[in-house]
Amino acid sequence: MHGRSTLDRCLLVATLATAACVGPFRREPVVKVSPGDVTLNARWHGTLVTPAALAGAVQIKGEASMAPEAKRGFTALSVSVSNAAPGGVHPWSAHRGTCSADEGLLGTPNLYRPLKIGDDGKAFSSATIPLDTPTTGNYFIVVYASAANTETTIACANLAPPTQ
């Protein structure tokens, strides 16, 4: 670079730096975060298990979750089951506490549509309750034997809190 002025060198460096930023080697970020991703880190999740006392008689499997609803002040709950007796109808609900220590229902019973088991032994149901999604505490989702027998739990899931 003999004979070039300091100004020429600065212009050359600036041009090369600009070309590097917008040139052919520019790539989109590897991870993009959208507003919808926020609820992923606020989702509570649990695996349904049949109580030991019913082992051999019933062996329902499934998943349960609790997450913020799009509308502030509401929480979405969902439950899916498999390996259930076809044709069965099972009430379910979410509660404070744990499967072994119930501290009360979240919302009211009429907010929960029962699980209607299909011919394949599977069902899904969801509910939206008027409650800000909790950030701490203990919560669980329970599935009952029938509307006439809500004293018998056929599956329960303690919900794990969201990861931080």
Side-chain angles (χ1 to χ4, degrees), residues 121-139:
K122 297 179 182 179
F124 173 84
S125 187
S126 62
T128 300
I129 59 171
L131 171 78
D132 282 324
T133 303
T135 56
T136 62
N138 293 315
Y139 302 90

Side-chain angles (χ1 to χ4, degrees), residues 134-159:
T135 56
T136 62
N138 293 315
Y139 302 90
F140 68 99
I141 289 180
V142 61
V143 179
Y144 301 105
S146 69
N149 185 4
T150 56
E151 297 300 314
T152 301
T153 296
I154 59 170
C156 192
N158 289 316
L159 299 177

